[in-house]
């Protein structure tokens, strides 16, 4: 279990290093996931161990949010001052994201013929 967690951390660290040294426009964790995928291609026997570890981590994912919640509590005065504006900005950006996503989906759906239609 420790080895699998170390592998996850090592891939993420390597991804961060590659990102910072190369200036690639991809986040370090994404590069780390690609490295992990390459590791799986080379060492397929590692999959069961890592599956067990990632299942455990996913089951206890709520623990990962405790530091963020503590940070929010510590920033109470700032949230009281800027909170309403943050809520409005979040709602507007979410609505705009939904509108853009629906529009793109509809445009893409028009370009792809249905299976029962002749091309």
């Amino acid at each position: 279990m420790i080895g699998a967690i170390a592998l996850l951390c090592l891939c993420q660290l390597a991804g961060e290093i590659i990102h910072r040294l190369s200036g690639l426009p991809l986040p370090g964790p994404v590069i780390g996931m690609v490295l992990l995928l390459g590791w799986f291609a080379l060492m397929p026997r590692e999959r069961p161990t890592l599956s067990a570890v990632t299942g455990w981590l996913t089951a206890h994912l709520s623990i990962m949010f405790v530091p963020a919640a503590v940070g929010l509590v510590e920033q109470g005065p700032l949230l009281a001052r800027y909170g309403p504006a943050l809520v409005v900005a979040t709602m507007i950006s979410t609505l705009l994201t939904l509108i853009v996503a629906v529009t793109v989906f509809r445009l893409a759906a028009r370009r792809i013929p249905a299976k029962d239609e002749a091309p």
Side-chain angles (χ1 to χ4, degrees), residues 11-99:
C11 286
Q12 183 171 356
L13 178 64
E16 282 292 332
I17 291 170
I18 291 170
H19 168 72
R20 290 178 190 242
L21 291 178
S22 69
L24 286 173
L26 290 172
V30 173
I31 297 171
M33 285 194 318
V34 172
L35 294 172
L36 185 64
L37 181 65
W39 179 262
F40 282 154
L42 295 173
M43 305 288 212
R45 68 179 191 280
E46 300 265 345
R47 289 182 190 167
T49 306
L50 198 60
S51 292
V53 168
T54 55
W56 182 85
L57 286 172
T58 304
H60 297 86
L61 189 62
S62 60
I63 295 171
M64 306 297 178
F65 292 104
V66 171
V70 170
L72 284 175
V73 169
E74 285 186 2
Q75 300 300 325
L78 277 175
L79 284 176
R81 183 172 179 190
Y82 299 112
L86 288 172
V87 169
V88 170
T90 302
M91 291 174 66
I92 290 172
S93 65
T94 301
L95 181 64
L96 289 174
T97 301
L98 287 171
I99 290 169

